[in-house]
């Protein structure tokens, strides 16, 4: 069949690109290189935790005093109102169905399509978290995908506001 001829070409192209984009060794702060996947995972997790961890703000009240008030009392009461089950459903159905898988391996499309089966449980879980009754840690996992910006990267760093 003629349409099968392109399959080999695209498979080969995909394989070469994946090999080219692999990050094989990473360099520790002391200069040593490692190719151990567990160590590389640990190094990457540590790097991004440190990068995105806030050291806190001193005198927050003083900072807030300089910001002009734009929210009226009515707006504030609406913003502080408890979340409803309908808001949870609306938010879920506004998500792009196949954008990214969650840590459970399911895209939002799964929950949208099977809302009648799992909607009540999902809503309860979300509402418990936003009310502070349960820790969001169980659903707050993130997948990091490193995309090399230079040939043969070995160092995790931030340079000129770009990750290299």
């Amino acid at each position: 069949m003629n349409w099968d001829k392109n399959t080999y070409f695209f498979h080969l192209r995909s394989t070469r690109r994946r090999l080219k984009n692999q990050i094989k060794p990473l360099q520790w702060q002391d200069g040593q290189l490692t190719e151990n996947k567990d160590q590389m995972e640990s190094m990457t997790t540590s790097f991004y935790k440190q990068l995105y961890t806030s050291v806190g703000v001193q005198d927050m009240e003083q900072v807030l005093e300089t910001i002009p008030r734009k929210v009226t009392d009515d707006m504030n009461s609406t913003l502080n109102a408890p979340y409803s089950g309908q808001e949870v459903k609306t938010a879920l159905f506004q998500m792009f169905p196949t954008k990214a898988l969650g840590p459970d391996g399911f895209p939002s499309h799964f929950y949208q399509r099977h809302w009648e089966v799992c909607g009540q449980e999902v809503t309860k879980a979300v509402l418990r978290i936003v009310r502070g009754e349960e820790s969001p840690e169980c659903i707050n996992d993130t997948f990091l995908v490193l995309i090399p910006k230079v040939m043969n990267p070995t160092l995790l760093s931030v340079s000129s506001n770009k990750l290299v």
Side-chain angles (χ1 to χ4, degrees):
M1 293 183 186
N2 285 340
W3 59 271
D4 280 341
K5 290 181 181 180
N6 286 334
T7 305
Y8 176 76
F9 171 78
F10 287 112
H11 178 70
L12 185 63
R13 188 88 196 219
S14 170
T15 302
R16 289 183 76 208
R17 183 181 177 114
R18 187 182 52 220
L19 290 173
K20 179 181 149 197
N21 284 338
Q22 279 186 345
I23 299 173
K24 292 180 180 114
L26 278 180
Q27 183 176 344
W28 290 98
Q29 288 180 344
D30 64 4
Q32 291 185 4
L33 293 175
T34 183
E35 291 187 27
N36 180 295
K37 288 187 188 253
D38 290 337
Q39 290 179 352
M40 290 171 61
E41 180 182 326
S42 172
M43 186 186 314
T44 304
T45 301
S46 173
F47 174 80
Y48 283 101
K49 276 185 179 178
Q50 183 178 351
L51 181 65
Y52 291 113
T53 298
S54 171
V55 293
V57 177
Q58 302 294 324
D59 298 325
M60 181 54 86
E61 292 301 321
Q62 183 180 359
V63 172
L64 293 175
E65 287 174 7
T66 63
I67 300 171
R69 184 176 173 167
K70 300 283 184 176
V71 177
T72 66
D73 288 334
D74 287 340
M75 292 165 74
N76 198 38
S77 65
T78 302
L79 290 169
N80 286 322
Y83 290 97
S84 70
Q86 183 57 45
E87 287 174 306
V88 173
K89 181 179 180 182
T90 300
L92 177 80
F93 278 78
Q94 288 177 347
M95 292 178 183
F96 192 83
T98 58
K99 202 58 157 179
L101 300 176
D104 59 5
F106 295 112
S108 57
H109 175 71
F110 172 83
Y111 297 102
Q112 293 166 354
R113 180 146 169 104
H114 302 289
W115 186 253
E116 297 78 30
V117 176
C118 63
Q120 201 171 44
E121 196 61 37
V122 169
T123 300
K124 286 180 191 175
V126 169
L127 291 176
R128 282 193 307 266
I129 290 169
V130 296
R131 287 192 299 251
E133 298 168 4
E134 197 170 299
S135 171
E137 235 177 82
C138 60
I139 63 168
N140 208 19
D141 291 339
T142 302
F143 292 114
L144 289 177
V145 177
L146 300 180
I147 301 172
K149 301 295 181 191
V150 296
M151 292 297 289
N152 303 317
T154 58
L155 190 60
L156 292 169
S157 66
V158 179
S159 173
S160 304
N161 294 329
K162 294 180 184 175
L163 294 175
V164 290

